[in-house]
Amino acid sequence: AQSVTQLDSHVSVSEGTPVLLRCNYSSSYSPSLFWYVQHPNKGLQLLLKYTSAATLVKGINGFEAEFKKSETSFHLTKPSAHMSDAAEYFCVVSDRMDSSYKLIFGSGTRLLVRP
Amino acid sequence: NAGVTQTPKFRILKIGQSMTLQCTQDMNHNYMYWYRQDPGMGLKLIYYSVGAGITDKGEVPNGYNVSRSTTEDFPLRLELAAPSQTSVYFCASSYGTVGANVLTFGAGSRLTVL
């Protein structure tokens, strides 16, 4: 069965240092992959998506992710963390079921940014 | 541009009570969804709709009902509330199927059943 694994439930970084949020997936076909961010008491917002074009995807607020098929990974990175990046991040894969699709959400990674 | 609007934001129910979570979108999206988010877990799909008059079950539909009489509205009904339904509920919409389309989420409704 298709699945998404976010390898860290919590990540803590200092402001100005790099961010790495890890995501591995399993899929039987070429998937679409997404990263969504959820700030406290807010709905989820799209950061970026991969849909079989360039393997390095740039998103909003300086985030980017690289699709690595050989490693079945889609890790999210940012060169320099900002206090406003503190939030929960979800890796999501689009899974084909017969003629339709569904989204499979990872369990989330909470990013803490220390001053 | 309001996007996806959910009401109420918070609600406490007693076991066995009923309630409806409201969801409205103003983007003329065909697809609408209800998800629940439990602590430490990813979102789970409860029900979805591909257009007015058409609804289908997701992964965790038991204890819930939905209707889609208009493109804009997609209410979620809890008939007999149980403690297992304590969760945060998110409504979302998209222009097309989730294959590659982005979902727009509401701000969520936090429900506690005591």
Side-chain angles (χ1 to χ4, degrees):
Chain A
Q2 283 72 5
S3 64
V4 177
T5 303
Q6 291 185 243
L7 297 160
D8 306 292
S9 60
H10 293 82
V11 170
S12 181
V13 301
S14 297
E15 190 175 21
T17 64
V19 175
L20 170 64
L21 305 183
R22 298 182 293 167
C23 174
N24 286 100
Y25 70 93
S26 67
S27 176
S28 59
Y29 76 112
S30 297
S32 294
L33 293 158
F34 307 79
W35 276 98
Y36 281 84
V37 60
Q38 183 183 25
H39 287 96
N41 300 315
K42 302 284 188 182
L44 280 71
Q45 177 187 14
L46 181 74
L47 270 181
L48 50 82
K49 69 175 184 178
Y50 165 78
T51 55
S52 74
T55 56
L56 183 62
V57 182
K58 294 188 184 298
I60 62 172
N61 300 333
F63 284 94
E64 61 182 37
E66 187 171 7
F67 174 70
K68 292 186 176 180
K69 188 174 182 178
S70 61
E71 299 177 9
T72 61
S73 70
F74 190 57
H75 301 334
L76 182 70
T77 60
K78 183 174 181 178
S80 176
H82 191 273
M83 295 298 292
S84 60
D85 294 328
E88 186 141 23
Y89 293 79
F90 292 93
C91 182
V92 184
V93 63
S94 175
D95 173 26
R96 175 182 284 171
M97 295 184 64
D98 299 322
S99 60
S100 64
Y101 294 85
K102 74 170 188 179
L103 295 182
I104 300 173
F105 286 77
S107 56
T109 298
R110 185 167 297 276
L111 177 64
L112 306 172
V113 183
R114 304 184 301 272
Chain B
N1 194 354
V4 178
T5 302
Q6 290 181 236
T7 58
K9 292 189 185 305
F10 304 94
R11 183 72 185 269
I12 298 175
L13 284 180
K14 295 182 179 178
I15 294 172
Q17 286 186 319
S18 300
M19 76 159 298
T20 300
L21 300 177
Q22 302 290 347
C23 176
T24 299
Q25 55 93 7
D26 62 358
M27 297 170 286
N28 202 32
H29 284 170
N30 289 328
Y31 289 70
M32 295 188 73
Y33 316 84
W34 275 105
Y35 287 91
R36 60 177 287 171
Q37 182 184 29
D38 298 319
M41 307 282 285
L43 276 66
K44 299 292 186 185
L45 182 64
I46 305 171
Y47 270 95
Y48 68 99
S49 169
V50 302
I54 306 169
T55 62
D56 209 345
K57 296 178 180 179
E59 301 171 78
V60 289
N62 292 341
Y64 306 94
N65 279 299
V66 294
S67 59
R68 185 96 182 269
S69 57
T70 67
T71 298
E72 295 78 19
D73 300 308
F74 191 42
L76 177 71
R77 178 84 177 160
L78 285 71
E79 291 293 348
L80 292 170
S84 61
Q85 293 178 304
T86 294
S87 190
V88 181
Y89 292 83
F90 287 99
C91 180
S93 70
S94 65
Y95 180 71
T97 180
V98 297
N101 286 285
V102 175
L103 268 63
T104 300
F105 285 85
S109 299
R110 184 176 296 275
L111 176 66
T112 302
V113 182
L114 301 174

XYZ file of all heavy atoms in Angstrom, chain A residues 29 31-32 34 36 38 41-46 49 51 88 90 94-95 100-108, chain B residues 10 35 37-38 40-45 48 59 88 90 97-108 110:
429
model
N 3.385 4.105 -8.757
C 3.466 4.777 -10.038
C 4.131 6.126 -9.818
O 4.625 6.415 -8.729
C 2.070 4.927 -10.648
C 1.249 6.018 -10.009
C 0.917 7.180 -10.704
C 0.791 5.913 -8.696
C 0.187 8.188 -10.120
C 0.060 6.927 -8.106
C -0.236 8.058 -8.828
O -0.956 9.046 -8.245
N 4.215 9.480 -8.655
C 3.275 10.232 -7.824
C 3.391 11.744 -8.009
O 4.386 12.242 -8.520
C 3.709 9.849 -6.414
C 5.191 9.691 -6.540
C 5.415 9.115 -7.918
N 2.381 12.452 -7.566
C 2.494 13.875 -7.277
C 2.750 14.001 -5.781
O 2.159 13.270 -4.988
C 1.207 14.613 -7.654
O 1.003 14.591 -9.040
N 3.466 16.752 -2.413
C 3.186 18.091 -1.914
C 3.803 18.258 -0.524
O 3.942 17.294 0.225
C 1.677 18.326 -1.775
C 0.860 18.028 -3.009
C 0.521 16.728 -3.341
C 0.409 19.057 -3.809
C -0.245 16.448 -4.464
C -0.365 18.791 -4.935
C -0.691 17.485 -5.262
N 2.657 20.772 2.653
C 1.736 21.770 3.184
C 2.256 22.226 4.549
O 2.866 21.454 5.285
C 0.339 21.187 3.375
C -0.492 21.070 2.117
C -0.371 19.973 1.273
C -1.428 22.056 1.786
C -1.145 19.869 0.129
C -2.208 21.952 0.648
C -2.061 20.849 -0.179
O -2.836 20.744 -1.313
N 1.082 24.178 8.256
C -0.053 24.542 9.105
C 0.453 25.383 10.268
O 1.131 24.876 11.164
C -0.766 23.297 9.619
C -1.999 23.595 10.446
C -2.644 22.350 11.004
O -2.001 21.322 11.186
N -3.939 22.435 11.277
N -3.649 27.166 14.730
C -5.048 27.564 14.580
C -5.391 28.028 13.167
O -6.324 28.828 12.977
C -5.406 28.658 15.592
C -5.207 28.189 17.013
O -5.600 27.080 17.372
N -4.550 29.001 17.819
N -4.654 27.549 12.195
C -4.916 27.894 10.803
C -5.113 26.615 9.994
O -4.741 25.522 10.413
C -3.736 28.673 10.202
C -3.385 29.953 10.918
C -4.369 31.058 10.606
C -3.900 32.386 11.169
N -4.884 33.466 10.895
N -5.689 26.762 8.802
C -5.777 25.634 7.894
C -4.448 25.379 7.216
O -3.508 26.156 7.322
N -4.357 24.264 6.523
C -3.138 23.928 5.804
C -2.996 24.802 4.567
O -3.977 25.107 3.880
C -3.162 22.453 5.381
C -2.806 21.422 6.436
C -3.906 21.298 7.479
C -2.528 20.070 5.794
N -1.750 25.158 4.273
C -1.449 26.001 3.124
C -0.360 25.328 2.293
O 0.608 24.809 2.841
C -0.963 27.374 3.600
C -0.550 28.317 2.496
C 0.085 29.589 3.020
O 0.460 29.688 4.186
N 0.212 30.578 2.161
N -0.513 25.355 0.968
C 0.469 24.720 0.106
C 1.798 25.464 0.133
O 1.848 26.685 -0.027
C -0.042 24.671 -1.324
C 0.908 24.004 -2.315
C 0.910 22.489 -2.107
C 0.540 24.347 -3.743
N 4.717 21.853 -4.731
C 4.274 20.561 -5.238
C 5.175 20.087 -6.362
O 5.767 20.887 -7.097
C 2.833 20.625 -5.736
C 2.629 21.450 -6.998
C 1.174 21.335 -7.465
C 0.972 22.063 -8.784
N -0.434 21.921 -9.278
N 5.112 17.521 -9.709
C 4.199 16.788 -10.587
C 4.921 16.314 -11.836
O 4.446 16.496 -12.943
C 2.993 17.644 -10.972
O 3.466 18.874 -11.548
C 2.129 17.953 -9.786
N 3.698 23.416 11.738
C 3.713 21.985 11.452
C 3.695 21.793 9.942
O 2.969 22.490 9.227
C 2.516 21.281 12.083
C 2.562 19.763 11.935
C 2.079 19.040 13.178
O 1.333 19.644 13.956
O 2.441 17.855 13.349
N 3.453 19.091 6.630
C 2.941 17.791 6.203
C 3.420 17.459 4.796
O 3.266 18.275 3.872
C 1.403 17.785 6.215
C 0.808 17.864 7.584
C 0.459 19.082 8.134
C 0.600 16.714 8.331
C -0.094 19.160 9.405
C 0.047 16.775 9.599
C -0.289 18.003 10.128
N -0.008 11.942 -3.668
C -1.254 11.650 -4.376
C -1.202 10.214 -4.862
O -0.266 9.818 -5.566
C -1.416 12.608 -5.544
O -2.550 12.255 -6.305
N -2.187 9.439 -4.468
C -2.222 8.009 -4.728
C -3.339 7.695 -5.701
O -4.473 8.095 -5.488
C -2.435 7.285 -3.392
C -2.660 5.800 -3.562
O -2.200 5.237 -4.560
O -3.298 5.214 -2.672
N -9.425 7.032 -9.913
C -9.456 8.260 -9.124
C -8.180 8.378 -8.296
O -7.334 7.492 -8.305
C -10.681 8.266 -8.207
O -10.582 7.213 -7.271
N -8.073 9.466 -7.604
C -6.894 9.741 -6.785
C -7.328 10.029 -5.355
O -8.442 10.455 -5.091
C -6.157 10.973 -7.316
C -5.547 10.798 -8.675
C -6.297 11.009 -9.812
C -4.217 10.419 -8.815
C -5.744 10.854 -11.065
C -3.661 10.264 -10.073
C -4.431 10.480 -11.189
O -3.868 10.327 -12.430
N -6.415 9.791 -4.439
C -6.637 10.265 -3.085
C -5.295 10.736 -2.540
O -4.227 10.371 -3.031
C -7.228 9.188 -2.188
C -6.262 8.101 -1.769
C -6.892 7.237 -0.688
C -5.889 6.270 -0.102
N -6.486 5.450 0.975
N -5.373 11.575 -1.511
C -4.175 12.094 -0.870
C -3.857 11.277 0.372
O -4.752 10.939 1.138
C -4.365 13.552 -0.480
C -4.560 14.554 -1.621
C -4.693 15.952 -1.061
C -3.426 14.465 -2.612
N -2.579 10.979 0.543
C -2.112 10.327 1.761
C -1.207 11.305 2.480
O -0.206 11.762 1.915
C -1.368 9.024 1.454
C -2.293 8.062 0.715
C -0.844 8.381 2.731
C -1.611 6.816 0.229
N -1.570 11.614 3.721
C -0.833 12.597 4.503
C 0.163 11.899 5.419
O -0.149 10.881 6.043
C -1.798 13.412 5.370
C -2.605 14.423 4.609
C -3.697 14.024 3.858
C -2.272 15.767 4.650
C -4.451 14.952 3.147
C -3.025 16.704 3.951
C -4.111 16.293 3.199
N 1.360 12.477 5.515
C 2.260 12.059 6.563
C 1.749 12.539 7.913
O 0.792 13.315 7.995
N 2.397 12.071 8.978
C 1.925 12.391 10.327
C 2.374 13.761 10.799
O 1.977 14.201 11.873
C 2.395 11.329 11.316
O 3.801 11.199 11.254
N 3.185 14.449 10.013
C 3.552 15.821 10.334
C 4.882 15.934 11.063
O 5.282 15.042 11.805
N -14.984 26.250 17.326
C -14.870 25.392 18.503
C -16.271 24.936 18.916
O -17.231 25.703 18.807
C -14.233 26.126 19.694
C -12.889 26.717 19.414
C -12.774 28.036 19.014
C -11.747 25.954 19.563
C -11.532 28.589 18.748
C -10.500 26.504 19.294
C -10.395 27.825 18.891
N -11.902 16.346 6.215
C -10.838 15.576 6.849
C -10.940 15.747 8.363
O -11.429 16.753 8.855
C -9.465 16.095 6.432
C -9.045 15.769 5.026
C -9.324 16.632 3.974
C -8.328 14.604 4.741
C -8.921 16.338 2.673
C -7.919 14.303 3.446
C -8.223 15.173 2.427
O -7.812 14.888 1.144
N -8.279 15.496 11.811
C -6.877 15.480 12.210
C -6.786 15.146 13.686
O -7.199 15.936 14.529
C -6.216 16.834 11.934
C -4.738 16.872 12.285
C -4.129 18.248 12.098
O -4.811 19.266 12.220
N -2.840 18.300 11.807
N -6.240 13.993 13.981
C -6.035 13.575 15.359
C -4.595 13.852 15.756
O -3.696 13.866 14.903
C -6.358 12.090 15.511
C -7.816 11.808 15.181
O -8.673 12.618 15.594
O -8.096 10.803 14.504
N -0.841 13.957 16.437
C 0.253 13.111 15.991
C -0.035 12.284 14.760
O 0.755 11.403 14.409
N -1.153 12.581 14.120
C -1.534 11.796 12.941
C -1.702 12.728 11.746
O -1.966 13.916 11.897
C -2.871 11.082 13.194
C -2.902 10.266 14.459
S -2.054 8.715 14.275
C -3.254 7.810 13.309
N -1.596 12.141 10.569
C -1.927 12.899 9.370
C -3.433 13.025 9.220
O -4.200 12.442 9.977
N -3.841 13.801 8.257
C -5.268 13.981 8.017
C -5.874 12.722 7.404
O -5.256 12.069 6.550
C -5.504 15.162 7.068
C -5.538 16.551 7.707
C -4.200 16.946 8.282
C -6.022 17.584 6.706
N -7.073 12.403 7.848
C -7.810 11.263 7.303
C -9.081 11.761 6.615
O -9.802 12.593 7.180
C -8.196 10.278 8.416
C -7.010 9.685 9.160
C -6.208 8.765 8.293
C -5.106 8.077 9.097
N -4.231 7.243 8.231
N -9.364 11.230 5.441
C -10.514 11.669 4.661
C -11.789 11.021 5.181
O -11.870 9.790 5.296
C -10.302 11.312 3.187
C -11.380 11.747 2.213
C -11.477 13.277 2.154
C -11.098 11.186 0.828
N -16.064 12.944 0.658
C -15.746 13.918 -0.359
C -16.885 14.012 -1.366
O -17.789 13.166 -1.381
C -14.421 13.591 -1.064
C -14.437 12.348 -1.913
C -14.594 12.439 -3.297
C -14.257 11.092 -1.338
C -14.575 11.307 -4.084
C -14.260 9.950 -2.124
C -14.401 10.053 -3.493
O -14.393 8.918 -4.274
N -11.905 7.409 3.964
C -11.300 6.349 4.774
C -12.054 6.086 6.073
O -12.096 4.959 6.556
C -9.865 6.729 5.150
C -8.938 6.983 3.997
C -7.631 7.561 4.507
O -6.808 6.776 5.012
O -7.461 8.784 4.423
N -9.940 17.618 15.296
C -10.035 18.860 14.544
C -10.465 18.495 13.130
O -9.873 17.616 12.499
C -8.695 19.618 14.509
C -8.858 20.917 13.718
C -8.211 19.904 15.920
N -11.280 19.547 9.192
C -10.941 20.497 8.141
C -11.783 20.222 6.903
O -11.885 19.091 6.435
C -9.467 20.388 7.758
C -8.529 20.942 8.789
C -7.897 20.105 9.683
C -8.303 22.306 8.874
C -7.043 20.612 10.640
C -7.450 22.826 9.831
C -6.817 21.975 10.715
N -9.576 16.967 -9.541
C -9.202 15.840 -8.708
C -7.855 16.081 -8.035
O -7.033 16.847 -8.516
C -9.128 14.548 -9.550
O -8.768 13.471 -8.702
C -8.095 14.668 -10.650
N -7.622 15.386 -6.912
C -6.411 15.616 -6.140
C -5.167 15.064 -6.803
O -4.094 15.158 -6.241
C -6.537 15.011 -4.720
C -7.640 15.685 -3.959
C -6.723 13.510 -4.766
N -5.276 14.509 -7.991
C -4.108 13.953 -8.667
C -2.947 14.923 -8.697
O -1.832 14.588 -8.360
N -3.204 16.134 -9.094
C -2.136 17.136 -9.110
C -2.657 18.500 -8.688
O -1.921 19.478 -8.727
C -1.514 17.244 -10.498
N -3.904 18.559 -8.290
C -4.490 19.853 -7.943
C -4.298 20.167 -6.474
O -4.280 19.285 -5.626
C -5.986 19.859 -8.288
C -6.221 19.967 -9.775
O -6.063 21.026 -10.363
N -6.581 18.858 -10.392
N -4.187 21.435 -6.196
C -3.940 21.904 -4.848
C -5.252 22.033 -4.105
O -6.246 22.492 -4.650
C -3.219 23.270 -4.904
C -3.065 23.848 -3.507
C -1.879 23.117 -5.587
N -5.250 21.644 -2.846
C -6.400 21.834 -1.990
C -6.307 23.168 -1.274
O -5.225 23.574 -0.834
C -6.491 20.717 -0.945
C -7.325 19.488 -1.316
C -6.741 18.781 -2.510
C -7.452 18.557 -0.129
N -7.442 23.829 -1.134
C -7.559 25.008 -0.287
C -8.324 24.601 0.957
O -9.438 24.068 0.856
C -8.313 26.134 -1.018
O -7.605 26.481 -2.207
C -8.417 27.358 -0.127
N -7.720 24.839 2.113
C -8.300 24.391 3.384
C -8.962 25.534 4.133
O -8.515 26.682 4.062
C -7.211 23.806 4.282
C -6.744 22.439 3.875
C -5.756 22.277 2.920
C -7.303 21.303 4.448
C -5.331 21.016 2.542
C -6.881 20.035 4.081
C -5.894 19.888 3.118
N -9.997 25.181 4.881
C -10.529 26.083 5.875
C -9.648 26.097 7.113
O -8.685 25.321 7.217
N -9.993 26.951 8.067
C -9.174 27.131 9.264
C -9.390 26.048 10.303
O -8.653 25.980 11.285
C -9.428 28.505 9.870
N -10.387 25.207 10.121
C -10.592 24.085 11.026
C -11.677 24.337 12.062
O -11.978 25.472 12.417
N -12.579 22.739 15.859
C -12.125 21.845 16.938
C -13.331 21.372 17.718
O -14.041 22.175 18.320
C -11.149 22.574 17.847
C -10.546 21.688 18.935
C -9.500 22.450 19.747
N -8.363 22.834 18.947
C -7.317 22.075 18.698
N -7.257 20.852 19.225
N -6.321 22.527 17.975
